[in-house]
């Protein structure tokens, strides 16, 4: 079951909740400071229009990947744009520098 898309989607399956949703990602950009300025609806819409998703800074707690998406239809609007946030397990022994 998904976390929650809207109040009326609480007891729906993942497939039912996101059946008319679309993700368009052609590349990823990395942000090193993902404060409130990155997670604004305007910035997310700009990323969705470019086909970009976000990879967050290495070895930081919280969200690691942010995928912009539209639901209900294929038209990009503030009222139907949201994100999928992915958290993977980070290990501080690994960094971006190869050994």
């Amino acid at each position: 079951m998904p976390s929650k898309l809207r109040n009326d989607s609480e007891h729906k399956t993942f497939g039912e909740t996101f059946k008319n949703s679309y993700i368009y990602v052609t590349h990823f950009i990395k942000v090193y400071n993902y404060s409130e300025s990155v997670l604004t609806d305007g910035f997310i819409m700009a990323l969705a229009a470019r086909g970009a998703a976000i990879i967050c800074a290495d070895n930081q707690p919280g969200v690691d990947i942010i995928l912009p998406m539209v639901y209900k239809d294929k038209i990009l609007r503030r009222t139907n744009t949201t994100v999928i946030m992915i958290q993977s397990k980070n290990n501080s022994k690994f960094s971006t520098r190869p050994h």
Side-chain angles (χ1 to χ4, degrees):
M1 303 295 275
S3 299
K4 197 173 193 180
L5 178 63
R6 297 179 308 267
N7 289 335
D8 63 344
S9 67
E10 192 170 329
H11 299 290
K12 293 182 181 178
T13 65
F14 186 86
E16 292 170 333
T17 302
F18 296 105
K19 74 176 181 178
N20 293 321
S21 300
Y22 298 91
I23 299 174
Y24 173 70
V25 174
T26 60
H27 61 286
F28 289 82
I29 60 170
K30 186 161 192 145
V31 294
Y32 292 96
N33 183 6
Y34 58 100
S35 61
E36 294 83 28
S37 62
V38 171
L39 295 178
T40 62
D41 55 352
F43 189 72
I44 297 299
M45 285 186 62
L47 290 176
R50 286 185 56 201
I54 297 173
I55 297 177
C56 300
D58 296 327
N59 300 319
Q60 299 294 315
V63 177
D64 297 317
I65 299 172
I66 300 172
L67 299 170
M69 64 176 276
V70 295
Y71 60 94
K72 296 184 189 176
D73 57 30
K74 294 181 181 181
I75 300 170
L76 184 63
R77 299 185 205 111
R78 287 183 190 265
T79 57
N80 72 339
T81 304
T82 189
V83 295
I84 296 175
M85 295 183 177
I86 301 168
Q87 181 182 29
S88 61
K89 300 294 181 194
N90 285 324
N91 188 334
S92 59
K93 290 193 272 184
F94 299 101
S95 68
T96 56
R97 186 175 175 201
H99 297 284

